[in-house]
Amino acid sequence: MVEPVNSSFGKMLLEEVSPVVMVLCTPLVEETFLKNGLSFVETLKPFCNFRNIDVPVRTSSDQLYRLKKFTLRLFYASDIRQPNVEVAKQRLEHVITQAGEKDFQDLKFDPPQITDILSNPESEIAPSWFQYYNKELIRTLSFSDHEAFDHPVACLLVVSSKDEEPINKFVDLFNSNRLPTDGTMDPNILKHYLLVHDNQDATTERTSKVLSEMRSQFGSNECNLLCTNSSKEGNVDHQANPWASFKSSVSADKLGCALTGDDIVEIKDLMQEFASRHIIPYMEQKVRELNQQISATRKGFRNQIKNLWWRKGKGDGPDVTKGSMYTYSSTESQIRILGDYAFMLHDYELALSSYRLILTDYDIDKAWKHYAGVQEMMGLAYFISDQSKKESEYCMERAFSTYMKLGKSGFQNALRCGLWWAEMLKARDQHKEAASVYFRICGEEPLHAAVMLEQASYCFVLTKPAMLHKYGFHLVLSGDHYKNCDQVNHAIRTYKSAISVYKSTTWSHIKDHIYFHIGQWYAIVGMHDVAVRNMLKVLDCGYQSKATQEIFLRDFFDIVKKTGMKHEVVGLKLPVINMSSLQVIYEDHRTYASQASALVEESIWQSLEDDIIPSLNSGKSNWLELQSKLLPKKYKESNVCVAGESVKVDLEFKNPLLISTSITSVSLICELTTNSDDLKLDNEPSSSSLGPEISTEHNQVTTSGFSSFTLSEVDFTLGGGEKNLVRLTVTPSEEGILKIVGVRWELSGSIVGVHYFQSVPVKAKTARGRRKNKLTPTDALKFLVIKSLPRLEGSIDHLPEKLYAGDLRYLVLELRNKSESPIKNLKMKISHPRFLSPGNHEEELTTEFPDCLKKGDEQNIVQHETNRTSSVFAFPKDVSLQGDRSLRWPLWLRAAIPGTISLYYTIYYEMENVSSIMKYRTLRMHYTLQVLPSLQTSFEITPSPSRLQEFLVRMDIVNRANSGCFQIHQLSTVGCRWGISLLQPVDTILPSKSLLAGQALSCFFMIKDCRKSGTEDEEIMSLPPSQTDVKLFTQDDDEKLFDIVSSPLASFHDSERSCQGPSVQVSPNTVDFILISRLAKSSSPSVVPDLPKILTHHSCHNSIRSSSPLSWSLDGPQTIHHDFLTSLCEIKLKMVIRNTSEGLSSVTINTNDCLPDAAAPTSSSGNQSGWRYVPTVTEEMKLTSDVMGSRLGKPPSSMESSPPFIWSGLSSTKVQIQPLSTTEIPLQISVFSPGIYDLSSYKLNWELSEHESATSSGTCQGYPYYLTVLQSE
């Protein structure tokens, strides 16, 4: 930090608190100096500031000190009075206006960057005119009655040698009283006499004579001669003109034009001699005299007590606010003069002691303005002498507060005190505190407040660290005050500086405020182009209120309209363009049937097309590699499109405002470059190098009026906050390189918005597998246009959007090629064969659907190929499309599962002799279905306890639909192995005829395995189709059943088998069912508008439920007659055992001779022993639910016990049965008496080897088998 005396404020104090010299001169003197464009005082002013005067001074003490710097202030006698307030105000306003006019040209430039502001030195941050304004503001308080440093110290009387009777002129000037008559200024001041000689028109002799008379009359030491205007031509040009900074209203070339260098030296010497030999000694002598006088009357303890006693009681009087109670001869005035003279002579200790001495007097007298003035000077003395900072700030605070208490009469003094106080703090690097002082002295006058707020803002930017937000905020406040005072240039300047603070922040509201008002103010000063540029910044103001947005838009369009021209704006924020939504849809070898198809991910299409696109001769080459070989090197990164086919760009526009906005003439900005050598590739042979790589001629087209391409234009209106995805197209008509550069639109017919698509680096994989940087979307918007090609169009007739699960529909695929060039080798692949199956011939059905699927309709029944090896459907070789011919091919649709299903079709076709770049194209189709739940089926199969080949089936059906009612029509088993039959009448299965929403149903069937049993091999016996179907309806007895072995039912069932379970190594002990239903006529069509005609429900891989891996039966006679009188009865039996598992089974048969509870026969009166009722097999099957591994209970208690019998064969037999095989074991029993015998007294112990190391085992109790043995007659 620099010394206070060398700081900018210290220098200002030396200039402003300095001796005043009153000048009295004759009119001829003024006339002499006006030849130089200057008055007499203006001529002398540049030479009144002495930087190294070096004068010895002795004031109150005997110790000398040397005065190095000194300044004189010259004023005409007419100016030594308090300035008029209104005149002073107008002068300050003129200073501000003049500074704004100088800055007008700088308003065209961009605002400074905040980094540049912070890097500038302190002297360059604030505008230079502030210092001049502050000085002018301080001078508005000159010659106050409560201060003495503005009182004249000396009087300079000036007479021209051309004046008549010069001595009398001096006397007349001397006798005239030019000082104010209020008694505050001492008229007895130093007088000095100066004779001016004009070398251009005055004689030297007369001048010498007048000078002699002066010296004899007034004394030789008090008289001086000044010779001037030594240049006869009056055209002297001063390189460093000393008057340029003092008088800017006149050209610097005319200032001092008659003064030579010797004249300037003479003036400088005159003023230095006047100051060093007259002013300073006079003031020095005056200080010593006043100090002696005051020391005798006021200093010392006795004089202090005496003064206080004399002033006792004055404190009860009124405050002194108007007029002055102190004349220049009063003790208080003398002490104040002593302090001010000492201050101007740089004896700050004497000044402080004098100020302290008089401070109490003013306090007791309640002379608050005098009191504040003394406090103010004390603060300055503390600062300039580099003494206590705390004391200096305390004094300035007290002075400022006291001035403010005086109200309006003291505000101007408080203003000057505040300026000095702020400058003092700035000199000590206390910028934050200085800013608060500036804020306190703003006052109510808006123009003055604007200047003070701006100065406060620069204090905030100079703090360490910089307080940028306060800097910007005070600039905004200052700009508002400037605008209220019609200082528009200054308002723009302050707001531009505030932009540097807020443009990089998220403070959107204040940024909008700044840009909006800057735009308005630029329009006021006539700079409409800059106004529009700033107003554009506020268009993206969706966070503002609706009323504010309306104001922004209204004023913006008003300003644009005043310019009278259309403005093209790059990066216009209304509407906002969502670049992440940018999507380019174009067709090369890939074509799309609809917009939905184009929006599908490319990976989905590629997975479909891998099987239908033929591989090239290079082995693993794909289409992209072939393209890279055919295209010139410079176009290998380009996309390929076809002339005459549109390139579509989807782009989202968003209205950031709450008000509706109309957007018109939205179109792409494109360039098309043609080159005959590079781009006519189709006329060349298929080769990797096809011509030169450098294009020599370019034809850039950017309007749709040219025939090279056409552009679409879109008009739309965006509501408040609304988004709109707009599709824009460009259709090239010639071969070349097409570039989509950007998008343009119009607002209100006067603003053209332009948005250029910028490059964004992403990663793209090259053909060799390495990665390189690729630019997108720029490269994604660059296309190589080749000549026109055939294009296949396709659609599916009557495809429903909503249907029930299981719904089977007949559709027609229609294909068209409008080009005259034929296409051939059509192939199709479908993403979901479970949902779609192509028909087998081109002709449409002649029998109405679904009757064509019923048995007996030979025209449309085609036997299904059970072993379908390819998922690609190839159209017949003779199919070719060109011109207006269309192909209609049948498609079968079945909604396999509920949910939202996306179906993808891709159709491959080839073209002949059209293009060497493209040999084939693909048509991609995409549809979305909403499948609603319908019937859900489940099956449970249980083996019969007494029949190896028969099984009980339980079918559970639940209607999962929300409102639909269904009728079950038919249940079929798939294949020729299983026959099916009813166990109950059809009427008892579903008495209500239809299954309501949410209703469940269970019903039972019997299925029979129709294979022939053997010990090792089993042959399948083919069943007639009628035994595999069960009719589940009663009405229309003559109605035919559906044929499930023909297409499309058989095709869909194969797809269901692959989807519902594994396709290989399926257990043969599984059964597939197909349930066919219809929608009841009472169902509402509101859920599904196009009601289904037939629904098929496929249940695959239903396994037979069993707790044991074995099933067996005991075969033999039921009743035997034998004569027990002759011999025992031997009966031969046969046990058939089947291994139902997939592992090797080892079975041991253990027989017991009698039942534990039947060891002896029991007699029963009236009946032959052993007789009982034996149930039939059918009834037994109906009563059994889980027969495997279980047995019937003991015979009823009413039945008598049977006599003993024995197993006369082997008591233990062990066999091994291969997986899924059957074996027969002969058995024999010996019966000793007639009766009814239960032959379940055996057990089967089994051990199963499922894998190499995994085994399991168990025991099965024999089934009840009742044998009746009768005595033969």
Side-chain angles (χ1 to χ4, degrees), residues 288-551:
R288 287 201 296 267
E289 292 176 357
L290 290 174
N291 186 48
Q292 291 178 1
Q293 177 184 349
I294 294 169
S295 297
T297 58
R298 294 294 304 274
K299 292 185 178 180
F301 180 74
R302 180 179 179 182
N303 290 331
Q304 291 289 334
I305 295 298
K306 181 179 179 181
N307 181 57
L308 291 175
W309 181 263
W310 177 76
R311 294 182 182 275
K312 184 178 180 182
K314 286 190 174 183
D316 299 332
D319 295 350
V320 179
T321 57
K322 294 183 179 180
S324 177
M325 61 182 295
Y326 307 105
T327 62
Y328 70 88
S329 59
S330 64
T331 304
E332 292 81 4
S333 297
Q334 296 296 312
I335 298 174
R336 175 61 195 256
I337 292 173
L338 173 61
D340 288 349
Y341 275 35
F343 190 100
M344 290 186 285
L345 291 176
H346 305 178
D347 188 352
Y348 301 113
E349 289 297 334
L350 177 59
L352 282 170
S353 65
S354 301
Y355 294 145
R356 293 192 194 101
L357 184 63
I358 199 177
L359 190 63
T360 305
D361 296 347
Y362 289 147
D363 188 13
I364 295 175
D365 293 343
K366 296 186 178 181
W368 299 122
K369 184 177 286 190
H370 295 73
Y371 174 83
V374 172
Q375 288 278 17
E376 187 178 2
M377 293 305 297
M378 288 177 64
L380 299 178
Y382 278 122
F383 167 76
I384 202 71
S385 60
D386 199 13
Q387 295 189 38
S388 172
K389 295 181 180 179
K390 183 177 180 181
E391 288 294 333
S392 62
E393 293 182 16
Y394 172 78
C395 291
M396 299 305 289
E397 174 67 39
R398 291 293 299 167
F400 181 81
S401 301
T402 305
Y403 280 135
M404 293 300 293
K405 288 179 181 179
L406 296 177
K408 188 175 180 180
S409 62
F411 177 75
Q412 289 298 108
N413 298 96
L415 181 60
R416 184 193 65 183
C417 177
L419 285 176
W420 279 349
W421 187 9
E423 292 295 332
M424 179 192 304
L425 293 171
K426 287 163 61 177
R428 292 172 175 168
D429 292 334
Q430 295 176 270
H431 296 283
K432 183 178 178 181
E433 292 78 5
S436 64
V437 174
Y438 278 124
F439 192 78
R440 292 173 67 179
I441 60 177
C442 286
E444 298 179 357
E445 203 282 314
L447 185 57
H448 167 75
V451 180
M452 295 301 109
L453 287 169
E454 187 177 1
Q455 294 193 68
S457 68
Y458 295 117
C459 291
F460 285 119
V461 82
L462 290 171
T463 56
K464 304 296 181 183
M467 304 173 71
L468 295 181
H469 288 305
K470 287 194 174 183
Y471 163 66
F473 182 68
H474 282 75
L475 282 175
V476 173
L477 291 178
S478 174
D480 287 339
H481 284 77
Y482 278 131
K483 176 58 179 62
N484 293 336
C485 299
D486 296 328
Q487 297 289 339
V488 181
N489 292 348
H490 287 295
I492 295 174
R493 179 179 53 79
T494 53
Y495 266 50
K496 281 179 60 180
S497 299
I499 289 176
S500 62
V501 177
Y502 295 110
K503 68 179 180 180
S504 59
T505 66
T506 58
W507 293 16
S508 303
H509 286 78
I510 194 168
K511 282 195 291 187
D512 288 348
H513 173 85
I514 293 172
Y515 281 117
F516 175 68
H517 286 88
I518 283 183
Q520 285 185 319
W521 299 338
Y522 270 118
I524 293 175
V525 299
M527 301 171 68
H528 293 94
D529 53 341
V530 187
V532 172
R533 190 164 63 245
N534 282 275
M535 293 289 282
L536 287 171
K537 306 284 187 178
V538 304
L539 296 186
D540 185 11
C541 58
Y543 39 82
Q544 298 281 6
S545 65
K546 185 176 182 180
T548 303
Q549 294 174 10
E550 290 175 347
I551 294 173

Side-chain angles (χ1 to χ4, degrees), residues 681-745:
L681 303 176
D682 292 335
N683 297 327
E684 301 288 341
S686 178
S687 174
S688 59
S689 59
L690 298 174
E693 297 182 359
I694 300 176
S695 176
T696 57
E697 295 182 3
H698 296 276
N699 178 24
Q700 295 187 353
V701 183
T702 58
T703 62
S704 59
F706 199 95
S707 61
S708 294
F709 59 82
T710 57
L711 297 173
S712 66
E713 286 193 356
V714 180
D715 299 338
F716 56 91
T717 299
L718 290 175
E722 183 181 353
K723 298 178 182 178
N724 189 9
L725 187 65
V726 177
R727 169 159 292 185
L728 305 172
T729 63
V730 53
T731 306
S733 57
E734 296 181 359
E735 299 177 63
I737 295 295
L738 175 67
K739 294 180 182 179
I740 301 178
V741 180
V743 63
R744 59 184 290 143
W745 65 94

Side-chain angles (χ1 to χ4, degrees), residues 875-880 885:
F875 290 86
K877 295 291 185 180
D878 58 349
V879 172
S880 177
R885 183 176 179 270

Side-chain angles (χ1 to χ4, degrees), residues 969-1189:
H969 183 273
Q970 171 182 336
L971 179 63
S972 302
T973 57
V974 180
C976 298
R977 175 182 173 184
W978 302 95
I980 187 170
S981 60
L982 292 169
L983 287 180
Q984 58 191 113
V986 174
D987 293 341
T988 62
I989 294 177
L990 189 61
S992 62
K993 309 298 184 184
S994 62
L995 201 62
L996 303 179
Q999 184 178 355
L1001 171 68
S1002 296
C1003 51
F1004 296 89
F1005 305 90
M1006 178 69 74
I1007 61 173
K1008 184 176 182 179
D1009 190 349
C1010 298
R1011 295 181 302 177
K1012 294 181 179 179
S1013 300
T1015 56
E1016 297 294 339
D1017 299 329
E1018 295 177 340
E1019 299 178 358
I1020 298 179
M1021 181 182 66
S1022 177
L1023 288 176
S1026 60
Q1027 295 186 15
T1028 61
D1029 305 314
V1030 173
K1031 181 179 179 181
L1032 299 178
F1033 59 94
T1034 57
Q1035 65 274 23
D1036 300 330
D1037 292 337
D1038 296 335
E1039 185 176 353
K1040 298 179 181 179
L1041 296 177
F1042 290 96
D1043 188 357
I1044 65 169
V1045 300
S1046 301
S1047 179
L1049 292 179
S1051 301
F1052 284 126
H1053 187 75
D1054 284 350
S1055 299
E1056 287 297 322
R1057 283 186 61 84
S1058 62
C1059 293
Q1060 293 186 21
S1063 59
V1064 295
Q1065 296 182 355
V1066 178
S1067 173
N1069 284 349
T1070 59
V1071 186
D1072 294 352
F1073 296 96
I1074 299 178
L1075 176 67
I1076 299 177
S1077 64
R1078 291 179 173 178
L1079 192 67
K1081 296 180 179 180
S1082 60
S1083 298
S1084 172
S1086 60
V1087 179
V1088 178
D1090 188 8
L1091 295 179
K1093 297 181 178 180
I1094 177 176
L1095 294 90
T1096 64
H1097 312 277
H1098 300 253
S1099 180
C1100 306
H1101 312 295
N1102 295 285
S1103 60
I1104 299 174
R1105 178 183 176 189
S1106 174
S1107 60
S1108 169
L1110 302 179
S1111 62
W1112 71 94
S1113 64
L1114 187 64
D1115 294 337
Q1118 296 289 326
T1119 304
I1120 293 179
H1121 292 79
H1122 180 72
D1123 186 6
F1124 288 95
L1125 298 177
T1126 60
S1127 65
L1128 57 84
C1129 180
E1130 293 183 350
I1131 304 172
K1132 295 189 178 203
L1133 304 171
K1134 180 178 67 175
M1135 180 176 287
V1136 181
I1137 306 176
R1138 179 173 177 80
N1139 180 6
T1140 60
S1141 69
E1142 297 181 0
L1144 180 64
S1145 179
S1146 176
V1147 182
T1148 303
I1149 305 173
N1150 295 319
T1151 59
N1152 296 318
D1153 287 340
C1154 62
L1155 290 173
D1157 55 353
T1162 303
S1163 61
S1164 179
S1165 61
N1167 291 323
Q1168 187 180 357
S1169 66
W1171 288 103
R1172 57 159 290 168
Y1173 170 73
V1174 179
T1176 63
V1177 174
T1178 303
E1179 293 171 339
E1180 182 182 321
M1181 290 180 63
K1182 291 181 180 179
L1183 295 171
T1184 304
S1185 61
D1186 186 7
V1187 296
M1188 295 300 298

